[in-house]
Amino acid sequence: MFRTALRNVLSHKARLLMTVLAVLLGVAFVSGTLVFTDTLGHAFRNQSAKNYSDVAVAVTSYSDSDHPKEAPGVSAKTLDRIRGLDGVTSATGRISGFAGVADQKGKLIGNGWSNKGGNFSPGAHGKDDQYAFTDGSGPARSGQIALDRDTADKGGYHVGDTVRVATNGPVRTYTLSGIFTTDDGAVGAGGSLVLFDTAAAQKLYLQPGWYEDVNIAASPGTSEAKLLASVKPLLPDNAEAKTGKQLGDEQAKQITREMSGLSQMLLGFAAVALFVGIFLISNTFTMLVAQRTKELALLRAVGASRKQVTRSVLAEALVVGAVASVVGFVLGIGLAVGLRSAMGSFGAKVPGGPLIVAPGTALAALLVGVLVTMLAAWLPARRAAKIPPVAAMGSAHLPATTKSLVVRNSIGAVITLIGAAVILAGASAGSGGRMMIGAGAFLALIGVIVLIPLLSRPVIALVRPLLTRVFGVSGKLAGQNAVRNPRRTGATASALAIGLTLVTGLTVIGVTVGQSVDRVTTDNFKGDYMVEMANGMSLTPSTVTALEKAKGVAAVSPQAGSQIVIDGSDEAVSGVKPGDIQQVLSLPVVSGSLDSLADGRIAVEQKTAEKKGWKPGSKVSAKYLDDKKGSLTVGAVFKENQFVSPVLASMSVLTAHEEKPEIQQILVKTHGGTGDQALVDAMGGNPAISVLGKQDIRNAMGGMINTTLNIMYGLLAMALIIAVLGVINTLAMSVFERQQEIGMLRAIGLDRAKVKRMIRLEAVVISLFGAVVGVALGTFLAWAVGQTIKSSIPHYVLVMPWGRIALFLVLAAFVGVVASLWPARSAARLNMLTAIKTE
């Protein structure tokens, strides 16, 4: 029976090609993901180990409000004592902070949050072993800096050039003394690294004579544990020490966790692709078995048992799955190489290292491909074995029994109803119902897939009159052919339905959230610009003053974040400028007046006021960040605005209790015609400060949504490609089965052009049917998910992106046309006499 199965595979190579491609693509995705994440994780772990290879003990200090200012880190005196310990060959003090480099046009190089500054700390030999200089040397005095190679190249800087650098203070100009290479994570994440001499770095980021971290190297034979025990007693309370091995292991675990998250996401999409592939594989083997019904019946008649027939079909699936898995595994390795290269084009710097192809990856690829193929072929194999030999020899194409269809539709209806009920329950449960919706979506999708053959007849019947009127005989025949075999039509449409369900659901959610964010900006922001630090740090009061003096500025209000304990509960407070805040933000007043902010009163958002029972004139107790107590009076109640906290207070209220309030943004309104350059110039051209217009704010708030959608579309394209293969496969098999029928149609006058049109229309109808089912289910899921997030997103209203949905349907129709090219051409080229004689 195995030899028979092998001969069948070899005799049906063309028909099994689509199945091989479907399995191949899914396996390539799985193996590529595993190889890519293993390679990336290995490279980063090696880099981590390299960073700590010469570190026996590392000291890290923590500066916060619990520690006195006189001990901001590790003192130079403590560093000297560490250097004097037995077994210590060197102890290097490090300081770091934010440093943004401007390019030749004054724009920030890097992404802001990973723009870093540090100190150059040469040893006795005059070199800092952490950095390898390719040009020049490290900074030797104040006024000099060194840059990493990537930043220097992006800025077009060479040794001796002047470079503008922004730190926590005013922008300063430095002379470039050297360019170096480094494995520092900030540079690898697309940021920059600026090295100052140690004294300058201490003055910028800490205090003269103090260090944040200390890296200690030990002499050969010195125990790290023993050295750690010697170092700990010398440290201040706000510092801790760990061995280099401990730090390396911790970083390796963190990298593994991060890689695991990426791997799970990519494998999730691989699972979708393989799930879609199951329908293609099952369809292929169903049709192959149907075409070989007499052959299988003859095998039964000469003594083959049902189990042997089943094993014969499964053996074919085993061969197909094994071949596809091997080829898919090789393709997956190429995919991993491509993904690694693509990361560089997105600005991420990947450490060098070998390609990691673990034995487990090869085994997983083989098992996944073979098991998925055999699982998909099991039902057709079982169905083939159940056909009685006498009945099979009397009919080449046995229809499904009424009992089997009733059972199938009943099961499908029950699963669909259970899935829909779970989805509705999850939608009504709020933010805690997302897991329920996920489970319900899986059940509903399975149920709909089971019901698709039943749904195909009434849905396609709606468009058959239109096909007949527009395309005549070709349209009428196409509509009839599309529902002639509901199982096959359903299996083909299911692949497209799964892909379109995911794509539609993501699109509806993405567009809805994006428009909600856009409405937040449009409805709540009346100003022209928002000013903030590129690295997310707070702005200084001097920046507010500079903007107030800028030409063409009409109103300026800082937005400082703080916390005040009001009537016993912590409340988030925004410090603003009375008078100007009304000009830059829309703050509809429910009661009272916002002008009372100038008198030291507070304004409270409506929901908070109702919850607390506050109204204009209410006296409330207050405990400030400096632990001083007092009382405040409510002066106004306003409607919610996402740009500010539930409580507003004048900046003077905060500055009376906070030395440096954290100014998160500055909102600016200008007179007509004043551009952002005037604001940039007023702030001294600081590259670390971003000036965002209204569209920039929308892009910043909604850009992540669009980026995520585009990534999802790219990943789901794999499932849609397999769906296209499914349509091609179905039509090819259908043409093969209907050779005699097509020959008769040709004989009675249907020309080649109309035969092609008939096949193409059949493909379009099946594709659109699957797309419509997918769009309907995807929209339902998007609505349910929206119910769980609408409470956290202001102005959330479900938006149907009809333009995109229409595009999806057009693309589905296009898929049908493209998929039908080869089968339609094959059908049109059939010799009518030969076709008529075909059994």
Side-chain angles (χ1 to χ4, degrees):
M1 292 302 290
F2 182 76
R3 288 197 299 271
T4 302
L6 192 58
R7 282 197 297 270
N8 283 327
V9 171
L10 295 175
S11 62
H12 297 116
K13 293 189 291 291
R15 292 178 227 173
L16 288 169
L17 177 62
M18 300 303 169
T19 297
V20 170
L21 286 174
V23 180
L24 181 154
L25 289 172
V27 170
F29 212 150
V30 172
S31 57
T33 294
L34 294 175
V35 172
F36 173 65
T37 52
D38 285 348
T39 299
L40 224 59
H42 182 267
F44 281 117
R45 282 191 293 271
N46 276 357
Q47 183 189 59
S48 173
K50 182 180 177 182
N51 289 341
Y52 293 109
S53 60
D54 296 326
V55 177
V57 175
V59 177
T60 305
S61 67
Y62 302 95
S63 178
D64 56 41
S65 57
D66 295 331
H67 300 117
K69 293 181 180 180
E70 56 269 22
V74 179
S75 68
K77 183 179 179 181
T78 301
L79 181 59
D80 289 337
R81 294 176 65 189
I82 292 173
R83 286 171 176 159
L85 293 173
D86 290 338
V88 173
T89 56
S90 67
T92 306
R94 299 290 180 189
I95 314 105
S96 63
F98 170 75
V101 182
D103 62 15
Q104 306 285 3
K105 296 181 180 178
K107 300 295 184 181
L108 180 69
I109 299 175
N111 48 34
W113 56 269
S114 58
N115 290 80
K116 181 180 170 184
N119 66 309
F120 175 70
S121 183
H125 55 301
K127 295 182 179 180
D128 189 331
D129 294 333
Q130 194 164 337
Y131 310 105
F133 279 81
T134 57
D135 296 297
S137 59
R141 60 181 182 276
S142 179
Q144 290 185 337
I145 61 165
L147 291 177
D148 67 272
R149 168 58 64 186
D150 290 347
T151 302
D153 289 344
K154 291 174 184 175
Y157 291 120
H158 302 88
V159 172
D161 289 349
T162 56
V163 182
R164 296 178 71 247
V165 179
T167 55
N168 297 334
V171 180
R172 290 188 56 187
T173 300
Y174 297 86
T175 300
L176 184 61
S177 67
I179 298 172
F180 59 88
T181 58
T182 178
D183 291 327
D184 192 281
V187 177
S192 61
L193 178 59
V194 182
L195 294 183
F196 304 89
D197 72 285
T198 297
Q202 288 174 332
K203 187 176 180 181
L204 283 170
Y205 300 125
L206 214 58
Q207 289 182 23
W210 292 87
Y211 299 90
E212 284 181 327
D213 306 316
V214 178
N215 293 336
I216 305 167
S219 57
T222 302
S223 166
E224 288 187 356
K226 185 177 179 181
L227 185 57
L228 178 66
S230 300
V231 169
K232 281 186 175 180
L234 305 180
L235 302 180
D237 293 337
N238 63 328
E240 67 172 355
K242 293 183 180 179
T243 65
K245 186 178 184 305
Q246 287 176 325
L247 290 171
D249 290 345
E250 289 176 4
Q251 201 166 81
K253 288 179 182 178
Q254 182 181 354
I255 291 168
T256 300
R257 285 195 297 270
E258 292 172 355
M259 290 298 105
S260 175
L262 175 64
S263 176
Q264 288 173 10
M265 183 188 75
L266 293 175
L267 287 175
F269 285 98
V272 172
L274 287 167
F275 187 56
V276 172
I278 284 175
F279 295 96
L280 190 159
I281 299 164
S282 181
N283 219 10
T284 300
F285 278 95
T286 297
M287 289 182 280
L288 285 175
V289 167
Q291 292 166 14
R292 290 161 41 209
T293 302
K294 286 188 176 181
E295 174 191 328
L296 295 174
L298 183 60
L299 289 173
R300 291 289 312 283
V302 298
S305 66
R306 286 187 176 184
K307 289 184 178 180
Q308 285 179 308
V309 171
T310 301
R311 285 198 294 265
S312 174
V313 177
L314 290 178
E316 293 179 43
L318 174 65
V319 173
V320 171
V323 171
S325 297
V326 171
V327 179
F329 175 64
V330 174
L331 184 64
I333 293 175
L335 179 63
V337 174
L339 285 171
R340 184 175 178 177
S341 300
M343 287 188 70
S345 63
F346 287 106
K349 189 176 180 180
V350 181
L355 195 69
I356 303 300
V357 184
T361 299
L363 182 62
L366 186 64
L367 286 177
V368 165
V370 170
L371 290 178
V372 165
T373 309
M374 294 184 70
L375 176 66
W378 177 76
L379 194 59
R382 184 171 175 272
R383 195 180 296 130
K386 292 174 68 175
I387 299 174
V390 175
M393 284 189 277
S395 175
H397 304 289
L398 292 174
T401 63
T402 302
K403 180 182 176 182
S404 69
L405 292 174
V406 170
V407 171
R408 175 185 178 127
N409 294 333
S410 300
I411 293 173
V414 170
I415 295 174
T416 303
L417 288 173
I418 292 173
V422 174
I423 291 171
L424 291 172
S428 62
S431 59
R434 290 169 200 163
M435 293 296 292
M436 292 176 64
I437 292 175
F442 179 75
L443 290 174
L445 194 60
I446 295 296
V448 168
I449 288 167
V450 174
L451 281 176
I452 272 186
L454 176 66
L455 296 173
S456 64
R457 290 184 181 277
V459 173
I460 295 176
L462 295 174
V463 299
R464 282 170 61 183
L466 178 63
L467 291 173
T468 303
R469 283 197 299 271
V470 177
F471 300 102
V473 174
S474 296
K476 182 177 181 179
L477 291 172
Q480 292 173 344
N481 290 334
V483 294
R484 177 184 293 183
N485 190 330
R487 287 183 186 273
R488 185 166 62 208
T489 297
T492 305
S494 294
L496 276 170
I498 294 168
L500 265 297
T501 295
L502 297 172
V503 169
T504 302
L506 289 169
T507 300
V508 172
I509 286 291
V511 170
T512 299
V513 173
Q515 291 201 16
S516 297
V517 169
D518 192 64
R519 281 194 292 271
V520 167
T521 306
T522 303
D523 296 347
N524 293 341
F525 188 59
K526 292 165 57 178
D528 297 303
Y529 298 100
M530 175 189 288
V531 177
E532 61 184 15
M533 290 291 288
N535 63 346
M537 296 174 66
S538 59
L539 294 154
T540 61
S542 62
T543 308
V544 180
T545 305
L547 288 170
E548 289 173 338
K549 296 177 181 178
K551 183 179 179 182
V553 169
V556 175
S557 177
Q559 209 278 76
S562 186
Q563 291 280 335
I564 299 177
V565 178
I566 302 178
D567 273 358
S569 61
D570 274 329
E571 299 293 342
V573 180
S574 287
V576 298
K577 183 180 179 180
D580 285 15
I581 189 64
Q582 297 96 309
Q583 297 184 56
V584 294
L585 290 181
S586 176
L587 297 168
V589 176
V590 177
S591 56
S593 172
L594 289 175
D595 292 337
S596 62
L597 289 171
D599 301 324
R601 299 193 175 195
I602 59 173
V604 184
E605 184 265 325
Q606 186 177 11
K607 292 180 182 177
T608 302
E610 291 174 352
K611 180 181 177 181
K612 301 290 186 179
W614 297 338
K615 57 185 178 180
S618 297
K619 297 280 187 179
V620 295
S621 65
K623 182 181 178 182
Y624 301 96
L625 290 179
D626 60 359
D627 289 335
K628 291 184 179 179
K629 298 179 180 179
S631 64
L632 292 168
T633 303
V634 177
V637 175
F638 64 94
K639 291 186 177 179
E640 181 183 25
N641 187 302
Q642 298 303 307
F643 284 85
V644 291
S645 300
V647 178
L648 299 183
S650 170
M651 282 293 293
S652 61
V653 173
L654 301 186
T655 54
H657 301 277
E658 299 176 41
E659 185 178 347
K660 293 182 179 179
E662 293 189 1
I663 301 175
Q664 298 158 341
Q665 295 104 18
I666 302 173
L667 310 178
V668 182
K669 186 172 184 62
T670 61
H671 297 297
T674 302
D676 60 352
Q677 190 59 46
L679 305 184
V680 172
D681 293 340
M683 295 181 292
N686 191 327
I689 299 179
S690 300
V691 179
L692 308 177
K694 285 186 176 180
Q695 190 56 50
D696 297 320
I697 297 171
R698 293 190 186 101
N699 293 341
M701 298 177 75
M704 183 60 71
I705 297 169
N706 293 328
T707 301
T708 302
L709 276 180
N710 290 334
I711 292 173
M712 296 299 183
Y713 289 159
L715 294 172
L716 289 172
M718 183 72 74
L720 294 178
I721 289 172
I722 294 176
V724 172
L725 295 176
V727 177
I728 296 173
N729 199 40
T730 296
L731 291 175
M733 294 291 189
S734 179
V735 168
F736 180 82
E737 286 181 0
R738 293 174 3 223
Q739 288 186 63
Q740 189 178 53
E741 174 189 320
I742 293 171
M744 291 293 294
L745 290 171
R746 290 288 314 285
I748 61 175
L750 196 69
D751 60 27
R752 289 185 174 183
K754 289 182 180 178
V755 170
K756 287 183 179 180
R757 188 180 304 142
M758 176 185 70
I759 301 298
R760 288 172 185 163
L761 288 173
E762 181 182 347
V764 170
V765 167
I766 293 174
S767 298
L768 283 175
F769 168 57
V772 167
V773 172
V775 166
L777 187 55
T779 302
F780 175 55
L781 292 176
W783 168 82
V785 173
Q787 295 299 109
T788 68
I789 63 175
K790 68 178 184 180
S791 60
S792 59
I793 300 177
H795 307 291
Y796 183 93
V797 178
L798 188 70
V799 176
M800 288 299 296
W802 296 112
R804 295 196 191 189
I805 289 175
L807 178 61
F808 295 158
L809 295 177
V810 170
L811 288 175
F814 179 72
V815 162
V817 172
V818 172
S820 67
L821 291 178
W822 175 50
R825 185 169 178 269
S826 299
R829 294 179 65 188
L830 284 174
N831 183 292
M832 66 181 74
L833 295 179
T834 303
I836 291 171
K837 291 190 294 180
T838 302
E839 292 189 9

